[in-house]
């Protein structure tokens, strides 16, 4: 009887562990791919952040490297059982080709990094890609250029004598 209980406990632990591993490979709650391009197959969104307005300075380029607007940062992690593992070069080239298909310009590229500027119908979007951990992880940062909306209200001064 003790052996059966032990086996059942071990089986339950294995099932719970497998379920937990599947949950860990699910997209971050509320996350989605950026509107201009998809993720690579076999990756899930591990972290996701959108700021309506922010400023970002790219450390990889010196000209045109301060971007302001809506900032979206997406961190991708490779699924354990993905069909194939990609190298840095494969990750970078896939996104470089996507940028070119959108009519964008590559500003900087390195083995595991890509900086690009996309002008789609007058809307400027900057993109930064950094792959790490032997291609098991990569991050995309997008800044859609736009002016900040003022939210502080200044009272209108009344003319003197009225």
């Amino acid at each position: 009887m003790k052996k059966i209980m032990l086996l059942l406990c071990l089986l339950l632990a294995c099932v719970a562990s497998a379920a937990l591993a599947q949950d860990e490979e699910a997209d971050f709650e509320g996350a989605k791919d950026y509107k201009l391009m998809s993720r690579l197959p076999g990756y899930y969104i591990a972290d996701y952040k959108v700021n309506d307005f922010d400023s970002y300075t790219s450390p990889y380029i010196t000209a045109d490297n301060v971007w302001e607007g809506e900032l979206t940062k997406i961190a991708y992690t490779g699924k354990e059982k993905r069909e194939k593992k990609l190298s840095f070069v494969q990750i970078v080239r896939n996104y470089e080709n996507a940028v070119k298909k959108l009519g964008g310009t590559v500003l900087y590229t390195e083995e595991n990094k890509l900086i690009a500027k996309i002008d789609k119908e007058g809307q400027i979007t900057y993109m930064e890609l950094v792959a790490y951990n032997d291609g098991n992880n990569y991050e995309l940062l997008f800044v859609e250029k736009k002016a900040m909306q003022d939210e502080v209200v200044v009272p209108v001064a009344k003319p003197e004598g009225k």
Side-chain angles (χ1 to χ4, degrees):
M1 184 70 166
K2 287 182 183 180
K3 287 182 181 179
I4 292 174
M5 289 300 286
L6 181 62
L7 282 172
L8 283 173
C9 286
L10 286 172
L11 181 62
L12 184 60
C14 288
V15 169
S17 175
L20 185 60
Q22 284 180 337
D23 264 353
E24 289 175 359
E25 292 191 346
D27 282 349
F28 188 85
E29 189 175 336
K32 60 184 176 183
D33 291 317
Y34 192 70
K35 60 188 170 189
L36 294 178
M37 56 190 71
S38 70
R39 74 186 81 180
L40 289 163
Y43 288 81
Y44 67 94
I45 300 175
D47 198 17
Y48 181 79
K49 176 177 95 169
V50 177
N51 289 345
D52 184 50
F53 186 85
D54 210 337
S55 180
Y56 179 76
T57 303
S58 176
Y60 306 111
I61 57 177
T62 55
D64 197 17
N65 69 329
V66 180
W67 314 324
E68 289 190 345
E70 183 179 283
L71 183 144
T72 303
K73 187 173 184 179
I74 309 169
Y76 293 98
T77 298
K79 294 178 180 179
E80 281 297 316
K81 296 186 179 187
R82 63 186 183 269
E83 198 170 298
K84 62 182 179 176
K85 298 192 186 245
L86 302 178
S87 70
F88 290 150
V89 174
Q90 286 173 296
I91 293 169
V92 169
R93 294 256 172 86
N94 267 280
Y95 281 98
E96 184 177 354
N97 291 337
V99 165
K100 289 176 181 176
K101 285 177 187 172
L102 290 167
T105 306
V106 172
L107 303 175
Y108 175 83
T109 187
E110 195 178 303
E111 179 188 27
N112 67 325
K113 296 173 186 72
L114 171 69
I115 313 296
K117 181 179 181 179
I118 302 163
D119 184 347
K120 188 162 173 71
E121 299 171 5
Q123 176 59 62
I124 305 286
T125 302
Y126 293 94
M127 181 189 101
E128 183 174 284
L129 160 76
V130 179
Y132 54 97
N133 194 15
D134 292 326
N136 290 314
N137 303 85
Y138 70 95
E139 289 184 0
L140 286 173
L141 178 121
F142 296 93
V143 178
E144 186 175 312
K145 190 175 177 181
K146 69 177 186 176
M148 186 185 78
Q149 296 289 83
D150 287 332
E151 297 179 53
V152 174
V153 178
V154 177
V156 179
K158 294 181 182 177
E160 284 187 37
K162 291 192 179 184

